Amino acid sequence: FVKDASDPNPLIRALAVRTMGCIRVDRITEYLCEPLGRALRDDDPYVRKTAAVCVAKLYDIAPELVKERGFLEVLHDLISDSNPSVVANGVAALSEIAETSGKDVMKISASVLQKLLAALNECTEWGQVFILDSLAKYTPADGREAEGIIERVTPRLQHANSAVVMSAVKVILSYMEMMGNQNSDAVRNLTRKLAPPLVTLLNNEPEIQYVALRNINLIVQKRPNILENEIKVFFCKYNDPIYVKMEKLEIIIKLVSEKNIDQVLLELKEYATEVDVDFVRKSVSAIGRCAVKLERAAERCIGVLLELIQTKVNYVVQESVIVIKDIFRRYPNRYESIIATLCDNLDTLDEPLAKASMIWIIGEYAERIDNADELLDTFLETFEEEDPAVQLQLLTATVKCFLKNPEDTQDMVQRVLDMATEESDNPDLRDRGFIYWRLLSTDPEAAKMVVLGDKPVIEDDTFRLEPSLLNTLIGQIATLSSVYHKPPEAFVVRGTHGDGNLYGGDDDDDDEDDEGEEVNYEDENDVGEDTAVDLLDMGGVAAAVPDAAAPAASGGDMFASAAGGETKSRMVQVCTPEKSGGIDIHCGFRQINGSIRMDFEFTNVSSPTDLSSLAIQLNKNAFGLSPASQQILCNPPISQGSKGTSTVELVVTPNMLAPTADGQTASPQIQVAVKNMTTGTVFYFAANFDFEALFAADGALERSTFINSWKSIDDQKEMYSTVQDLPPGSSDIDQVSAKFKTYNVFFIARRPVPNAEGQEVVYFSMKTETGMIFLTELTFKQGVNACKICLKTEATSYGPLAKTALENLLRAP
């Protein structure tokens, strides 16, 4: 390669330098520097532009070497090159180095700025994109300079390449902030010029349309007046893909105003008769959002919703009920005359959200509905089978009804409170039930103030992005950030090897960089470092030989409890054959010798193809768990009518941790995607993680440490529950301690309760693999098949999960 770098043929010289730059090995850099230095000053522009990109690749491997050899200064000189392609590649290389190092190595001065603007008219379209992106990061000295740059950039709005257009829009929007009110005429002129190129983007292929629409969504939030007269462009065509239609609806809602509301309502009403259920629901929801946004048009929107309800189409009626509830919350005591129409359609409601919305309406306006108690009673018949959201709403609505009409509803409220507090396992429902019970029994007037008090009206959330986030995303137009509507740091992590190399492969193309490349799922060793889990695509996993963490499936019962006190998974059905191509799947979680395992039991119910190879991915979760290996091999293959088992080792990976909001309980749910590598079928399911599988083997505390820790945790962080009907042996403290030890729940001490004959308390400690510590006190009474649990922890979001784990262990045989 070094010899070829001096070849008389410029193409050979360029290829030699490019190839050496792509070999990401430290020792190669020793041989690369001299040829690279010569190539950067080569007479041929093709060699110079290739060398410019090579500097960026060398910086990833050996940044100090690039600085010592003065390659950064040479790149700055290339910006003044006579060839526009060299200028563009010099800008691209400096931009990548700036991203990698986090430093401003570009340093655009007044003279550099003029050279960039001059090269803009002559270089290739992708070169223009690099230059425009660099200009977008430049801060003009004043409004006059900003206006001058915009004038030079504006012709790019007519370019045939969508990327050039979007980059030009990004520059103009960024600089318009600098022009201020003193140039209001200039701002208005620019606003008029921006609309046609954005509209033209919607004449491209659906995929480009979607990217353009996601960017336009941000632009109309920042400057809605740019497209305020172009709302018709966003009306959906019959042959638009669903993802384009959904995005167009979002933009229609943002652009709707009192001038065009009638036109929009006609369009949305038409959409509500389409065949695609998701699109119809979104359209009905859009009508409700228009009502919430435009007060003067609310009555017309409700009229359209009532017409749609008369169609008696199940999902249309249900979505209408949901949005009407929001309209009631936005405009209280104004449109309640339509409640009778809603009540006539109670029989069609079978979805939790629709039921909860209707129940809220009945409870909120019980005094205006003659048979409100009877309507609620129809829902109470299936109270125990209802979704938690419906149960919570039923509880509140029944209490409201009782406070407004106590004589006729006393028995009903008593029945609901009994079911909520004594028969429910849902802690939220129980807590709310106890609060209402205490309020009603001690101070009914206080209960009225709390339950029937005035509620703040809901606000229009059309422009819901925070201003600071919106400004960040406007600066990221024409990048993935503008499509995801997230800042880059939310989905791209630049991981590094010990030698400074970025994960991911190199690209041979001169005009492309490696910036922000995510980890390749085909490399098993990189799985734990990745944060972007794609549950829709499976990342193209290829079947490979599994490691020791994924033993082959067999027909034996690998989950049975072993003689040595091995833990046992609680197997639960997570996927039915109808959803997974004829394969019934049960799974559970356990820990073996410090290794967290996800156990599977596969039954080939109706698949004619033998089940032999699977690939698995987990979404981000509250525990940071990800598979150590993505491959699951079934050996022997599972034929139709037979069963097999397998185990996947899980590892704790910080990048896979889904943050839990303060005051919220961490979700036990783990979302899983599995791909049958033989048939190509991808299916999804969610499994509740057994928290005891996370308990570490080093969770035992010294007695003095336990006491100090217990005292240091605020009493408000205590959690209580009582476990009834324990199986034989689970009320014997010695047997419980032995069973708990198997699951890394460690005995600390036991003592009798003073002045309570036959009662004894036992203390245990647990520590998770992630370092969270839980302290618990169990109270047993001789002859009583029950146990009272008191748990303390600083990790309050995970406390309910630890308490549930103890309850499950106590109930386990």
Side-chain angles (χ1 to χ4, degrees):
F1 292 129
V2 175
K3 181 181 176 183
D4 287 339
S6 302
D7 194 275
N9 188 330
L11 188 60
I12 300 295
R13 296 199 298 273
L15 287 173
V17 171
R18 177 195 293 181
T19 305
M20 284 194 285
C22 290
I23 302 173
R24 306 171 74 85
V25 179
D26 281 342
R27 293 183 63 183
I28 293 293
T29 59
E30 302 169 13
Y31 302 97
L32 174 61
C33 291
E34 289 301 327
L36 181 58
R38 290 198 305 271
L40 286 168
R41 294 175 175 83
D42 198 283
D43 293 335
D44 192 281
Y46 182 75
V47 179
R48 295 199 300 276
K49 78 166 193 161
T50 304
V53 174
C54 190
V55 172
K57 293 186 176 183
L58 178 61
Y59 191 90
D60 280 342
I61 305 170
E64 294 303 322
L65 191 60
V66 172
K67 295 172 186 174
E68 289 172 12
R69 292 290 184 130
F71 289 150
L72 288 179
E73 289 73 17
V74 179
L75 282 180
H76 281 107
D77 294 341
L78 290 183
I79 294 177
S80 306
D81 198 278
S82 57
N83 187 291
S85 293
V86 177
V87 174
N89 276 28
V91 170
L94 285 169
S95 298
E96 164 129 359
I97 292 170
E99 288 285 343
T100 305
S101 64
K103 299 173 184 174
D104 181 19
V105 296
M106 191 73 186
K107 297 176 183 174
I108 299 178
S109 61
S111 60
V112 170
L113 178 65
Q114 294 307 314
K115 290 167 186 172
L116 292 178
L117 291 171
L120 191 59
N121 297 322
E122 301 175 31
C123 60
T124 65
E125 52 196 19
W126 294 111
Q128 293 179 39
V129 170
F130 287 129
I131 293 173
L132 287 168
D133 286 348
S134 295
L135 290 175
K137 297 172 185 174
Y138 171 67
T139 304
D142 51 35
R144 194 169 181 178
E145 185 184 12
E147 195 170 350
I149 297 172
I150 288 175
E151 194 172 332
R152 301 279 292 275
V153 169
T154 303
R156 302 301 105 205
L157 294 174
Q158 273 73 49
H159 202 282
N161 187 309
S162 304
V164 176
V165 174
M166 291 310 303
S167 293
V169 169
K170 173 166 61 177
V171 173
I172 293 170
L173 285 174
S174 300
Y175 287 7
M176 281 172 75
E177 296 294 318
M178 297 287 298
M179 294 170 67
N181 294 327
Q182 68 271 24
N183 293 312
S184 55
D185 290 340
V187 170
R188 278 198 296 271
N189 288 334
L190 280 174
T191 300
R192 283 197 295 271
K193 289 178 181 177
L194 282 174
L198 291 174
V199 169
T200 305
L201 290 174
L202 300 182
N203 295 325
N204 288 295
E205 297 82 2
E207 293 81 9
I208 295 178
Q209 280 189 54
Y210 178 74
V211 173
L213 287 166
R214 292 293 286 173
N215 282 273
I216 289 170
N217 194 322
L218 295 172
I219 292 168
V220 297
Q221 291 187 63
K222 182 70 176 175
R223 293 187 177 272
N225 53 336
I226 290 177
L227 292 165
E228 62 184 355
N229 298 319
E230 305 289 345
I231 194 167
K232 278 188 176 182
V233 175
F234 301 101
F235 286 173
C236 301
K237 299 173 185 174
Y238 76 96
N239 59 348
D240 279 340
I242 184 63
Y243 55 87
V244 170
K245 287 182 177 180
M246 293 294 202
E247 204 55 41
K248 282 184 174 180
L249 279 178
E250 282 294 328
I251 295 172
I252 288 172
I253 294 166
K254 289 177 172 60
L255 293 178
V256 70
S257 63
E258 292 177 7
K259 294 178 184 176
N260 55 32
I261 182 63
D262 291 328
Q263 199 175 20
V264 169
L265 283 178
L266 281 173
E267 195 72 15
L268 294 176
K269 185 179 175 184
E270 188 69 25
Y271 298 161
T273 61
E274 293 276 347
V275 292
D276 190 294
V277 175
D278 290 335
F279 181 53
V280 170
R281 285 179 173 280
K282 184 85 170 178
S283 303
V284 175
S285 175
I287 296 171
R289 289 173 64 184
C290 289
V292 171
K293 180 180 179 182
L294 304 172
E295 184 173 353
R296 293 185 182 179
E299 193 165 343
R300 280 171 280 175
C301 295
I302 288 176
V304 173
L305 289 172
L306 289 177
E307 289 179 39
L308 293 175
I309 289 174
Q310 298 306 321
T311 64
K312 302 293 183 182
V313 178
N314 181 279
Y315 50 86
V316 173
V317 173
Q318 302 204 76
E319 196 65 35
S320 299
V321 170
I322 293 168
V323 298
I324 286 173
K325 179 207 67 174
D326 290 337
I327 295 172
F328 283 173
R329 292 180 63 194
R330 174 70 169 164
Y331 310 112
N333 303 316
R334 283 175 60 176
Y335 301 108
E336 285 71 25
S337 57
I338 67 171
I339 291 176
T341 306
L342 301 180
C343 292
D344 291 340
N345 292 275
L346 281 181
D347 295 340
T348 62
L349 305 181
D350 54 23
E351 293 179 7
L353 196 54
K355 282 185 177 180
S357 299
M358 190 66 225
I359 291 165
W360 181 87
I361 292 170
I362 294 171
E364 190 69 15
Y365 300 102
E367 71 277 10
R368 305 187 186 191
I369 304 172
D370 295 336
N371 59 338
D373 53 337
E374 295 174 13
L375 296 177
L376 288 177
D377 209 36
T378 59
F379 288 107
L380 290 175
E381 292 172 4
T382 57
F383 182 86
E384 293 177 356
E385 291 81 39
E386 295 291 358
D387 186 86
V390 178
Q391 291 179 331
L392 287 166
Q393 205 57 259
L394 263 175
L395 175 59
T396 301
T398 307
V399 171
K400 286 180 181 177
C401 204
F402 170 72
L403 291 171
K404 293 175 180 179
N405 184 16
E407 296 177 2
D408 298 333
T409 55
Q410 187 164 353
D411 292 341
M412 185 169 68
V413 77
Q414 184 66 52
R415 183 155 52 99
V416 173
L417 289 173
D418 285 341
M419 287 191 289
T421 55
E422 295 178 10
E423 300 175 22
S424 173
D425 293 331
N426 186 329
D428 293 334
L429 186 64
R430 285 205 308 269
D431 289 350
R432 188 180 293 191
F434 281 127
I435 290 171
Y436 284 154
W437 203 321
R438 179 65 61 87
L439 277 171
L440 293 172
S441 60
T442 57
D443 192 347
E445 289 305 315
K448 281 187 179 181
M449 292 175 64
V450 172
V451 181
L452 302 180
D454 292 334
K455 301 165 189 65
V457 297
I458 62 172
E459 298 295 327
D460 172 34
D461 65 347
T462 305
F463 302 98
R464 58 180 177 272
L465 284 178
E466 291 290 329
S468 58
L469 175 58
L470 181 59
N471 288 333
T472 301
L473 294 179
I474 289 291
Q476 295 289 337
I477 280 177
T479 69
L480 271 179
S481 281
S482 63
V483 178
Y484 291 160
H485 288 188
K486 293 178 180 178
E489 57 271 18
F491 61 90
V492 174
V493 174
R494 294 183 71 83
T496 59
H497 289 302
D499 59 3
N501 289 348
L502 289 175
Y503 282 122
D506 291 294
D507 199 313
D508 287 348
D509 194 319
D510 282 346
D511 293 335
E512 293 185 7
D513 57 21
D514 304 325
E515 179 184 334
E517 259 189 89
E518 296 180 10
V519 183
N520 189 341
Y521 267 99
E522 291 178 2
D523 182 355
E524 289 178 17
N525 296 326
D526 286 348
V527 171
E529 294 292 325
D530 190 27
T531 60
V533 179
D534 180 9
L535 286 182
L536 298 177
D537 189 21
M538 295 300 298
V541 179
V545 179
D547 58 17
S554 65
D557 185 6
M558 67 186 293
F559 310 134
S561 192
E566 185 178 319
T567 57
K568 182 178 179 181
S569 293
R570 289 193 303 279
M571 305 301 286
V572 177
Q573 185 184 37
V574 291
C575 202
T576 60
E578 292 77 21
K579 294 182 179 178
S580 54
I583 309 297
D584 180 79
I585 304 176
H586 285 65
C587 92
F589 301 85
R590 60 173 174 158
Q591 187 178 133
I592 305 174
N593 299 326
S595 171
I596 303 169
R597 303 295 177 95
M598 187 176 189
D599 294 329
F600 285 96
E601 185 177 276
F602 302 107
T603 304
N604 189 337
V605 177
S606 58
S607 174
T609 308
D610 289 0
L611 183 65
S612 59
S613 174
L614 299 168
I616 183 171
Q617 283 185 330
L618 306 188
N619 208 346
K620 283 189 176 182
N621 51 77
F623 317 101
L625 295 174
S626 63
S629 170
Q630 287 190 284
Q631 280 74 45
I632 307 174
L633 293 190
C634 301
N635 188 17
I638 304 171
S639 57
Q640 188 170 345
S642 60
K643 291 184 178 182
T645 56
S646 189
T647 292
V648 175
E649 182 182 5
L650 302 180
V651 293
V652 177
T653 308
N655 289 338
M656 288 295 291
L657 185 66
T660 302
D662 290 339
Q664 298 292 318
T665 300
S667 170
Q669 198 175 78
I670 294 180
Q671 296 173 344
V672 184
V674 175
K675 183 174 184 178
N676 187 328
M677 301 304 290
T678 307
T679 63
T681 305
V682 180
F683 45 94
Y684 311 90
F685 60 84
N688 283 343
F689 180 67
D690 297 326
F691 196 67
E692 60 269 25
L694 201 62
F695 293 161
D698 61 347
L701 299 179
E702 293 292 334
R703 199 172 289 192
S704 57
T705 306
F706 181 97
I707 293 171
N708 293 333
S709 300
W710 184 277
K711 290 179 179 177
S712 67
I713 299 175
D714 195 302
D715 288 343
Q716 292 183 348
K717 296 178 180 177
E718 286 184 354
M719 302 173 196
Y720 295 94
S721 71
T722 301
V723 187
Q724 307 280 358
D725 301 321
L726 293 177
S730 284
S731 56
D732 183 294
I733 293 175
D734 292 330
Q735 290 189 38
V736 168
S737 299
K739 178 167 61 173
F740 275 19
K741 188 175 180 181
T742 307
Y743 290 87
N744 292 331
V745 180
F746 295 97
F747 172 84
I748 302 295
R750 61 189 288 184
R751 64 175 177 82
V753 179
N755 304 320
E757 188 176 345
Q759 284 195 33
E760 198 166 6
V761 293
V762 199
Y763 297 94
F764 295 89
S765 69
M766 304 89 79
K767 179 184 174 184
T768 66
E769 295 287 352
T770 52
M772 294 181 288
I773 294 175
F774 301 91
L775 313 176
T776 187
E777 175 191 81
L778 304 186
T779 305
F780 295 88
K781 186 174 182 180
Q782 193 172 2
V784 177
N785 237 9
C787 172
K788 183 178 178 183
I789 299 175
C790 171
L791 184 135
K792 272 190 166 189
T793 180
E794 294 289 357
T796 50
S797 294
Y798 293 82
L801 302 185
K803 182 164 63 68
T804 301
L806 292 175
E807 293 170 358
N808 290 334
L809 293 179
L810 285 167
R811 290 193 178 101

